[in-house]
Amino acid sequence: MAETIVAGRTPRRGIWGWMLFDWAAQPFFTVVTTFIFGPYFVSRMATDPAMGQAAWGYGIAAAGLVIAILSPVLGSIADQTGPRKPWIGCFAAIKIFSLCMLWFAEPGSALVPVVLLFSLASVAAEFSIVFNDSMMPRLVSKEEIGKVSNIAWGLGYLGGMIVLIFVVAFLAGSPDTGKTIVGADPLFGIDPRLGEDARATGPISALWYFIFILPMFLFTPDSGKGMAIGPAVREGLAELKSTLREVRKRSGIFRFLIARMVYQDGVNALLGLGGAFAAAMFGWTITEIGIYGIILNVIAIFGCLVASRLDTALGSKAVVVMSLVLLTLATIGIVSTGPGYTLFGLWQMPGADGPGLFSTPAEKAYIAFGLLVGIAFGPVQASSRSYMARSVSADEAGRYFGIYALSGRATSFLAPFLVASVTAAAGSPRLGMAMIILFLLGGLLVLLGTPYPADEAE
């Protein structure tokens, strides 16, 4: 029998079990999507970086479309069936299988099967997040939601960073020496010339996910109506239709969801494509892109810890607004930087590439702009989650977090599609990445006029 859940009185181990879900899930986004496998796919599997970025962008877009269509349906069904853990377990199995299969993505392999596997893993990961997030209002009081959400997100970045450090230090070999950054041969007989250091991130992320979601299954309370799946589907679909009509009458929540739909699209594209963009522009190796990712994750952890206090003191909306401003400035800086210059050429940075990591001034400028991304991309997502949780009741959390996931994915195919299409048409990854700025600014403008919490009268 499931434990009785009283918001704010959940056993401490239950809260930690829930927060460890982010710790378990994040390495997929860190080492597969952004910093290791994604750049490997773009720079080594494709015949040229522009085509690789376009293919990767279309894969992210395809996953986003599926997530947008099905997330609210699954959220409503979850409210009827009650327990979330069976759903999370089902999607975990799909995600783990897909990630393990990435091991076979050798250089020169067909791109489409690899993109499909990555998209399937992305869909399963996001569906699991819908069910995990919808548990939060039953576990934590509204006063503590912002703090717990940001700490959980910070734990996620710590987990992602640990896996990233492991890959960079013990698997990623130099193209010149074959040695890792610590001067040793890659573990397990990994051959970097065959891309095995990047390909291994799939199975490693799968194993990490399997191990660290276990505390949530063992210790976190999970209860609900317990309706059979057949009637639950019928009731869930009817409830979804009702909720979609209802949310339009709740103007504050509706406006917040529209704002998040726009800015989250930009955030997703920036996270999914930023690492590959840097690798292609500067010719970074897996070691360099991995260290760049480690730097961003260290900053992200501190960003989430600071945001956990700011969310409690100033509210979720203030944290989201500040984060979007930083992300917009960072994206402008990133697309304005190239070999030998930054700020669109207004600041010339002479200097040839030399020995050592990040040896040119332009690379250092790129990393400086990346630090702003590191500060903001955790809080913008964690405080958006707490913004929503503070705006709905525990009983309606499943269906509203399903729509929340829809708002984060309804047009999530649009930004990657636009980036990919502009890149392909213009032959310029830089011009393609600039499209992300439109989404960040658009979402920010809508959010500024949104009440907080979103269910309060305007």
Side-chain angles (χ1 to χ4, degrees), residues 31-106:
V31 299
V32 175
T33 302
T34 304
F35 292 114
I36 303 295
F37 189 86
Y40 159 77
F41 178 92
V42 170
S43 61
R44 295 192 59 189
M45 287 198 65
T47 56
D48 69 85
M51 186 179 77
Q53 179 169 301
W56 196 246
Y58 286 133
I60 295 172
L65 183 61
V66 174
I67 293 163
I69 293 171
L70 294 182
S71 288
V73 176
L74 291 174
S76 292
I77 293 172
D79 273 344
Q80 303 303 320
T81 57
R84 272 60 167 169
K85 291 180 184 179
W87 293 95
I88 295 174
C90 176
F91 290 118
I94 296 172
K95 177 180 175 181
I96 289 169
F97 169 79
S98 301
L99 288 176
C100 288
M101 293 300 292
L102 292 182
W103 169 254
F104 300 102
E106 299 179 6

Side-chain angles (χ1 to χ4, degrees), residues 131-275:
F131 293 107
N132 181 70
D133 286 355
S134 69
M135 296 171 72
M136 183 167 52
R138 293 183 177 273
L139 302 176
V140 188
S141 67
K142 288 195 174 184
E143 292 76 18
E144 294 291 310
I145 277 176
K147 177 182 177 181
V148 169
S149 182
N150 273 281
I151 291 175
W153 219 282
L155 280 173
Y157 289 129
L158 179 59
M161 184 182 70
I162 289 172
V163 175
L164 186 57
I165 290 173
F166 174 77
V167 172
V168 170
F170 300 109
L171 298 183
S174 165
D176 300 322
T177 66
K179 302 291 186 180
T180 70
I181 197 172
V182 298
D185 291 327
L187 294 180
F188 315 123
I190 289 289
D191 188 348
R193 294 171 300 176
L194 300 177
E196 291 179 351
D197 44 0
R199 291 155 48 195
T201 59
I204 290 170
S205 299
L207 179 61
W208 182 278
Y209 186 61
F210 173 76
I211 292 172
F212 290 110
I213 58 171
L214 292 179
M216 183 271 294
F217 281 105
L218 294 174
F219 304 126
T220 303
D222 187 23
S223 67
K225 300 177 183 178
M227 187 180 296
I229 187 65
V233 170
R234 291 191 294 271
E235 290 292 330
L237 292 174
E239 185 181 65
L240 173 61
K241 184 178 180 180
S242 173
T243 303
L244 290 174
R245 287 197 302 264
E246 174 187 308
V247 74
R248 299 188 65 179
K249 298 177 182 178
R250 299 174 72 170
S251 59
I253 291 179
F254 184 70
R255 189 178 181 94
F256 169 68
L257 292 172
I258 293 295
R260 182 175 183 268
M261 180 179 70
V262 179
Y263 70 69
Q264 189 63 43
D265 202 358
V267 172
N268 291 339
L270 182 59
L271 298 183
L273 299 169

Side-chain angles (χ1 to χ4, degrees), residues 428-441:
S428 170
R430 186 183 315 283
L431 189 58
M433 288 292 289
M435 298 298 103
I436 294 173
I437 298 169
L438 302 178
F439 292 88
L440 297 174
L441 284 177

Side-chain angles (χ1 to χ4, degrees), residues 3 15 17-18 35 79 120 180 196 233 332 344 442:
E3 299 178 49
I15 298 295
W18 182 86
F35 292 114
D79 273 344
L120 185 60
T180 70
E196 291 179 351
V233 170
I332 293 172
F344 302 102

